[in-house]
Structure formats: C-alpha cells, structure tokens
Amino acid sequence: MKTSLLLPFFVALALLAGCSKPADTAASGNSTAAAPAATTGPRTINIEANDTMKYSVTSIEAKPGEEIKVVLTNVGVVPKEAMGHNFVLLKKGSDPLAFATAGAAAKDTGYVPASLKDQVLAHIEQLGPKQSGEVTFTAPTEPGEYPYLCTFPGHFQVGMKGILTVK
Ligand SMILES: [Cu+2]
C-alpha cells in the first residue's frame, strides 16, 4: 500500500527533472542566437575612382539610421596633385556645385572648404593612385536624397558625383 502511494511521487519528480533540461537547452540556445547580432557591422559600399573622373557607384540606397561604411579606392595612375579623388557626403538640400566651387580654392584642406564644413555628413580624404580610404557613418534618419561628390577642382563638373537615397 505504501509503495503504490509513493510511486506517483517519484513519477512527478522524474517529470520535473525532465522538464528542467529542455529549459536549460533553450537558455543556451538564446545566447548562441544573440552572438551573430553583436558582430553585425556596418554595410560596406566599395567605390572605385579612376583617371576618367567617375565614381564606379553613383547611387547608394540606405535605410534611415543604417550604419554604412564607404571604401573609396583610386585605381588610376595619374599623380595625386593632378588627379586626386575624395568622397564628400553632404546634407540634404546642400548645393554640391557651390560646395565644389568653394572647395576648388581650398587646397590646404583637401579641397573641402572650411566655410561650408557644416554641410558635410561624411568625408574621405584626397587619395592618390592606388590609395584607399574609408569612412563609417550613420545614414540620416530623414528620408531624402543626399549628394556626394569629389571636390578635386573640376571633377564634380565632369560628373564625379552620386546620390545617397535614404528611404
Ligand atoms: Cu576626383
């Protein structure tokens, strides 16, 4: 009589022990799933510039607040003094032609005019042949079109420009 009363008790203990195991597994599974999220970095956009004064990428789309890394590589051969390239991303509503015109007179600051620096969202320095530079930035949260350009004298005017579209 005593044994038959205890038996359900042991069964209940065994069930409890059995239940705790899947819970542990689920917990460790959660921490494993969190790891890839922690290693997620910015999305990389590779742009090449060359002696024909063009960017290989003239249109970038981004989500509001997205982390973006732009890597600019000058694949040309003409010396930097005659054919340098940079990347300057401007605020929405900026006038890239006015920026390029002012920049042409700002050789000492890499053709980025100090007077208009508040219009710059992201910037890669002037690069000579076979040089690379990069910049990581957070895309604006406000949807719209953000112009980017090379400010080496004359390059914007012949088409060294692009648009970052946030949407
Ligand atoms: Cu250029």
Side-chain angles (χ1 to χ4, degrees):
M1 202 56 177
K2 260 188 180 171
T3 313
S4 64
L5 277 174
L6 279 173
L7 191 59
F9 176 72
F10 285 123
V11 169
L13 266 186
L15 282 173
L16 278 174
C19 279
S20 72
K21 274 206 172 165
D24 286 350
T25 309
S28 63
N30 283 343
S31 62
T32 306
T39 56
T40 298
R43 182 162 59 94
T44 301
I45 310 287
N46 289 298
I47 305 178
E48 287 186 354
N50 60 35
D51 293 339
T52 65
M53 294 165 281
K54 293 283 189 297
Y55 288 130
S56 63
V57 176
T58 56
S59 158
I60 303 171
E61 282 193 7
K63 295 182 175 66
E66 184 180 3
E67 285 281 291
I68 301 281
K69 177 160 96 174
V70 170
V71 179
L72 178 66
T73 303
N74 180 352
V75 297
V77 296
V78 178
K80 184 178 177 182
E81 293 68 33
M83 185 64 74
H85 300 298
N86 66 354
F87 171 92
V88 183
L89 175 67
L90 300 179
K91 286 181 180 171
K92 193 168 101 170
S94 300
D95 179 351
L97 177 58
F99 194 94
T101 302
K107 188 179 184 196
D108 290 348
T109 50
Y111 301 108
V112 174
S115 59
L116 298 177
K117 215 162 183 186
D118 61 330
Q119 295 183 1
V120 177
L121 293 177
H123 167 217
I124 297 171
E125 300 291 334
Q126 290 285 341
L127 303 170
K130 313 307 174 200
Q131 289 185 325
S132 284
E134 63 179 58
V135 63
T136 300
F137 61 95
T138 304
T141 53
E142 191 183 343
E145 295 189 341
Y146 296 76
Y148 60 87
L149 71 152
C150 173
T151 62
F152 193 95
H155 288 198
F156 171 81
Q157 288 84 344
V158 296
M160 198 156 187
K161 59 185 176 177
I163 298 282
L164 169 80
T165 302
V166 175
K167 65 177 188 181

